[in-house]
Amino acid sequence: MDNSNCCPQQGKSSGYARFIKILGTVCGIFGFVAYFSYLIKMFIWPEGVLPMCVAIAGILVAGVPVFFQRFFRKHLPRKLFSVLWNVFSWGMLFYCVTFMVLAGYIYGAGSMQASAQELPDNTVFIVYGAGINDDRPGAILRKRLNKTVEYMDALPESVCIVTGGQGPDEICPESEVMFNYLAAAGISEDRIIIESKARNTIENIKYSAQILKDKGFEKRTVVSVSNAFHIPRIKLICSRLGIESKFVLAPDPNPYAMFCTLVREYMSYAKLFIFGAE
């Protein structure tokens, strides 16, 4: 009698143990691949010391419990290992689910696109900086600038604010490179306003909003120009700061770079939700 009563509970216990082992392993490997890919990307397109440290931390947090699972199971007390593995597994599941939700939110950005035909001729475009190669725009920034040229050619009375400071691995502010690129593409220099202090998206928006105020452009239609993956976060920050903006979407990078970009965007959204936009 006693044995028959114990068996169902043992079966449930062993079933949950198998489930939680698979859950932690699969989700942990996903997190490891995500941050390892992001780290590799930074060797090709550097972003500074802090993002690299975050990537390494992500690799360790996601990878060590998975790849050293047997070691920890052998050397830790059974109950302690069980508690830690459960915390790790459910934590990594939360990461994977929220990552997928964020990816879906970002891929839905296409509905935010404003066409040139629906914008007034005196529109003010805010063009967001991105990585540069010496004194030339990188691939992502070049796509933003090309889209800006397309719209400004269609709206000859429009002006733009190019916003972006100088990163630790950059020889000049991104905004200066953007100015030169637009001017070389035929946009009159008096239609381009430089903002060269911003170090992140929140500062891009805040400093550009101050320029709008200083120039008396507050009543004009404002349009943010960036890649599709970046626009949803710009929209969220604008709404938190009480700034009205329409949006123009430049093409996203290639699939590999896009996956790494989603990893970076996840960290940016986490920072935004924790520390706010103020």
Side-chain angles (χ1 to χ4, degrees):
M1 290 291 293
D2 291 339
N3 290 337
S4 63
N5 288 336
C6 291
C7 286
Q9 188 171 355
Q10 289 176 349
K12 290 180 181 178
S13 177
S14 61
Y16 175 78
R18 286 194 296 271
F19 165 76
I20 204 70
K21 179 179 180 180
I22 294 171
L23 179 69
T25 301
V26 171
C27 294
I29 289 175
F30 176 84
F32 174 83
V33 170
Y35 283 97
F36 186 77
S37 298
Y38 181 51
L39 182 65
I40 296 300
K41 173 181 175 288
M42 282 191 287
F43 282 107
I44 303 172
W45 299 292
E47 295 183 23
V49 176
L50 182 59
M52 184 167 288
C53 291
V54 172
I56 292 172
I59 290 170
L60 294 176
V61 169
V64 168
V66 172
F67 298 117
F68 292 90
Q69 182 182 164
R70 289 185 179 180
F71 174 85
F72 292 127
R73 187 186 294 274
K74 181 178 179 181
H75 290 86
L76 291 177
R78 183 175 180 180
K79 287 187 176 180
L80 177 60
F81 173 81
S82 178
V83 170
L84 293 176
W85 185 258
N86 271 269
V87 170
F88 169 76
S89 299
W90 290 112
M92 290 308 303
L93 176 64
F94 175 81
Y95 173 80
C96 291
V97 170
T98 51
F99 186 95
M100 298 305 175
V101 170
L102 176 62
Y105 173 64
I106 288 174
Y107 278 108
S111 61
M112 303 179 192
Q113 176 90 300
S115 66
Q117 291 74 23
E118 66 186 81
L119 297 174
D121 200 33
N122 66 347
T123 293
V124 180
F125 295 97
I126 299 176
V127 192
Y128 292 74
I132 59 176
N133 299 321
D134 296 327
D135 61 347
R136 295 172 289 107
I140 289 177
L141 181 55
R142 191 164 57 248
K143 292 178 180 181
R144 299 178 188 181
L145 295 169
N146 290 339
K147 184 62 70 170
T148 302
V149 172
E150 175 188 330
Y151 272 68
M152 292 187 74
D153 282 344
L155 302 169
E157 297 301 319
S158 62
V159 297
C160 72
I161 300 170
V162 289
T163 171
Q166 183 173 349
D169 58 339
E170 295 174 336
I171 63 172
C172 62
E174 294 166 1
S175 54
E176 290 185 10
V177 173
M178 296 160 74
F179 176 92
N180 293 334
Y181 187 93
L182 292 175
I187 303 299
S188 176
E189 293 184 5
D190 59 7
R191 298 174 64 195
I192 310 169
I193 303 167
I194 292 178
E195 186 293 300
S196 58
K197 297 186 298 180
R199 297 168 298 174
N200 53 54
T201 301
I202 294 175
E203 291 185 355
N204 288 142
I205 296 170
K206 284 184 174 181
Y207 295 156
S208 296
Q210 186 60 50
I211 290 175
L212 293 173
K213 183 177 179 180
D214 294 342
K215 295 285 186 180
F217 293 159
E218 295 164 287
K219 294 184 178 180
R220 292 195 185 188
T221 297
V222 176
V223 176
S224 295
V225 184
S226 191
N227 299 86
F229 71 81
H230 192 203
I231 288 294
R233 183 155 55 93
I234 293 172
K235 181 182 180 182
L236 181 60
I237 295 170
C238 284
S239 66
R240 291 195 171 194
L241 295 177
I243 297 171
E244 291 188 12
S245 176
K246 295 181 181 296
F247 307 97
V248 166
L249 285 62
D252 279 329
N254 65 62
Y256 169 74
M258 185 60 189
F259 176 71
C260 299
T261 298
L262 286 173
V263 177
R264 186 181 188 278
E265 283 296 299
Y266 186 96
M267 295 185 288
S268 297
Y269 276 90
K271 179 180 177 183
L272 178 60
F273 282 112
I274 294 172
F275 299 105
E278 299 298 331

